[in-house]
């Protein structure tokens, strides 16, 4: 089995460096709680595994060649991103209202809501759904990966190999991002900064969701 690893690695690194919905999910989760950020990263990569297995089995051909299936997945993904954004905006407004009710008393470092297991489950689910409901991930495995495989070998095996390499690289990248993002926690201890952060990331989610739904 011969694959163009150098070219593939270049494409994968560029794809991860360019921010997308999964980037925003991992970043927000890590700023809230590093453990939740790692869970979101693993969820995002699990979503990629689903697309990779579907591509290796040929199932993605059906989805991407059927406008109805593709549009359905796209709209579900867009709706989920908008949901995440609305939830963040409402949380920011609720926190601001609570600060006004307590005369602006500082609340200290931002605390993640709920028990630890619930936070991890929430982070993993957000990362998973963000990538599973992203049809562009399916297109990546279906149309980009085959460009780096040897036509004389097994297409499914090579796509599986490159897909797993992509997932492993992604885990390393996301975990590095979590380390960096976790340092934002001290900054987010300031109520006004946290309020702006929640509003900004919330509206970004909404904007990305709307743009995903609008693009044909």
């Amino acid at each position: 089995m011969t694959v163009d690893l150098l070219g593939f690695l270049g494409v994968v690194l560029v794809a991860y460096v360019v921010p997308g919905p999964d980037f925003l999910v991992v970043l927000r989760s890590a700023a809230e709680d590093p453990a939740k950020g790692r869970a979101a990263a693993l969820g995002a990569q699990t979503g990629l595994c689903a697309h990779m297995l579907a591509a290796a089995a040929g199932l993605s051909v059906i989805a991407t060649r059927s406008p109805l299936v593709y549009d359905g997945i796209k709209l579900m993904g867009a709706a989920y991103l908008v949901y995440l954004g609305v939830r963040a905006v409402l949380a920011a407004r609720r926190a601001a209202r609570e600060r006004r009710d307590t005369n602006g008393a500082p609340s200290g470092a931002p605390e993640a809501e709920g028990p630890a297991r619930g936070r991890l489950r929430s982070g993993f689910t957000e990362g998973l759904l963000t990538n599973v409901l992203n049809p562009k991930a399916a297109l990546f495995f279906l149309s980009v990966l085959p460009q780096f495989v040897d036509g004389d070998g097994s297409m499914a095996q090579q796509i599986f190999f490159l897909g797993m390499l992509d997932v492993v690289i992604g885990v390393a990248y996301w975990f590095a991002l979590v380390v960096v993002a976790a340092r934002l926690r001290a900054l987010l201890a300031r109520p006004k900064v946290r309020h702006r952060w929640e509003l900004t990331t919330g509206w970004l989610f909404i904007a990305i969701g709307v743009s995903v739904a609008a693009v044909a």
Side-chain angles (χ1 to χ4, degrees):
M1 179 175 64
T2 302
V3 296
D4 181 8
L5 281 180
L6 187 60
F8 174 73
L9 290 176
V11 170
V12 168
L13 291 176
V14 171
Y16 277 113
V17 169
V18 177
D22 47 2
F23 178 92
L24 196 54
V25 167
V26 174
L27 182 65
R28 288 191 77 257
S29 298
E32 177 184 336
D33 178 11
K36 183 178 179 181
R38 289 188 289 271
L42 292 176
Q45 296 311 97
T46 301
L48 287 186
C49 283
H51 286 297
M52 178 264 295
L53 292 174
L59 298 179
S60 290
V61 176
I62 300 175
T64 54
R65 290 184 179 178
S66 171
L68 183 61
V69 173
Y70 180 85
D71 289 343
I73 296 175
K74 182 178 67 174
L75 291 176
M76 285 190 295
Y80 184 68
L81 292 175
V82 171
Y83 161 74
L84 292 178
V86 170
R87 192 175 67 175
V89 170
L90 292 178
R93 292 180 176 177
R94 183 169 57 250
R97 185 166 54 250
E98 291 173 353
R99 286 198 304 273
R100 288 195 298 269
D101 293 341
T102 56
N103 297 320
S107 58
E111 295 293 336
E113 297 180 359
R117 182 174 297 181
R119 294 198 302 271
L120 296 181
R121 186 184 303 112
S122 173
F124 183 87
T125 301
E126 290 180 5
L128 174 66
L129 292 180
T130 297
N131 270 351
V132 165
L133 297 177
N134 183 2
K136 291 183 179 178
L139 288 175
F140 176 83
F141 283 101
L142 185 64
S143 61
V144 177
L145 261 64
Q147 299 181 34
F148 300 96
V149 304
D150 180 6
D152 296 328
S154 169
M155 179 72 71
Q157 290 182 3
Q158 293 178 80
I159 288 179
F160 181 80
F161 170 73
L162 292 176
M164 289 306 301
L165 184 59
D166 182 356
V167 170
V168 171
I169 292 173
V171 170
Y173 175 79
W174 293 135
F175 275 34
L177 177 65
V178 168
V179 173
V180 175
R183 298 181 181 275
L184 293 172
R185 286 172 59 82
L187 181 62
L188 292 177
R190 304 173 186 176
K192 290 184 178 179
V193 174
R194 187 182 183 188
H195 176 71
R196 292 169 183 168
W197 164 262
E198 292 288 346
L199 282 180
T200 300
T201 54
W203 284 113
L204 279 175
F205 270 127
I206 293 173
I208 293 174
V210 171
S211 66
V212 168
V215 174

